[in-house]
Amino acid sequence: MTTIPAKLDRLSALLQGLAPQVRLLPVAYGGAAAKPSPAQHFAAQAAPMLTLHLVNTGKVVLRAGPHTLTAQAPSMVVCHGAVAHSLRHQGPGPSDAVLTAQAWLVGPVAPLLLEEFGQPLVVPLGDADPALTHIISLVRGELLDPRCGHPALLNSAGDIVFIALLRHLVAHPGDHHGLFQGLADPRIAKTLVAMHSGPHQPWTLESLAEHAGMSRTAFAVRFKNTLRCPPGKYLTRLRLQIAQRSVQSGQGLKAAARAAGFGNVSALSRALSRTIPRTQPPNAVPPTPASETPFL
């Protein structure tokens, strides 16, 4: 059985693969006592990132291309960074009616997570973990009344808010298929932890099914139905992201192949040369390298 190099829980393994860098914007906003709030505009960003809007009071209307969403407090609106959007707080409200953070995701799992936010998402927080609501209250107070250690507190608070959001999405994945649904499934989550924490390991369908405590066929079907992608293709996409980042950082193909878990440089070269262009559908995936054991 292939072993995992470190014992991580499902969210810690995901965060390790995301390597998030979260920044709270310094200005909160809302309507003044006697007039409604002006719309706040957010330009599209080329970097892999998410924009998070915490709606503390009242409601907001978000417009992003053809999409118009309404979010009632308490809630969070999550937008893919590549999507330009505007947000308007409806009616008068306090100056901290909406707080905004930006999360840059620089790890190899980032593209897989960002696919979950192809459209703006409203996350109701009425039943959120008390820890999340406590952090939000702390951040609101710090923005309105800065004290000693203000920058350091906000930097740490941004990371904590992002982690709390991911916890909430794993606990409440909804009816949609995808990464959060997979992490919410105890058996599939075990295999995602294995791949996220040890992508270079020589995983096969048999070893992943063993981690899940399932037969090969049952695991392959359940994984594909849950994540909309066969386990082998999911692993290959993860490894390609690792290899591409290694090459971009100046490492040679041999080192990149070793870091990503490809059998040799030839297998990596073939996979890189056949990487799907960005103009093709987002659910398209590169082929599994010939050096790997085929997956279903």
Side-chain angles (χ1 to χ4, degrees), residues 239 242-244 246-247 251-262 268:
R239 287 174 168 172
I242 295 171
Q244 289 172 333
S246 296
V247 171
Q251 296 186 40
L253 285 177
K254 186 175 181 179
R258 183 169 54 251
F262 285 93
L268 172 58

Side-chain angles (χ1 to χ4, degrees), residues 24 30 34 53 82 86 91 94 109 144 148 152 154 170 184 197 206-207 222 225-226 235 251 261 284:
L24 283 166
H53 303 289
S86 65
V109 182
L144 293 174
C148 297
L154 289 187
V170 170
S197 59
E206 292 83 355
S207 61
R222 187 163 174 169
N225 289 343
T226 302
L235 179 60
Q251 296 186 40

Side-chain angles (χ1 to χ4, degrees), residues 221-234:
V221 170
R222 187 163 174 169
F223 191 102
K224 184 175 181 180
N225 289 343
T226 302
L227 274 86
R228 302 167 297 187
C229 177
K233 290 185 177 180
Y234 184 93

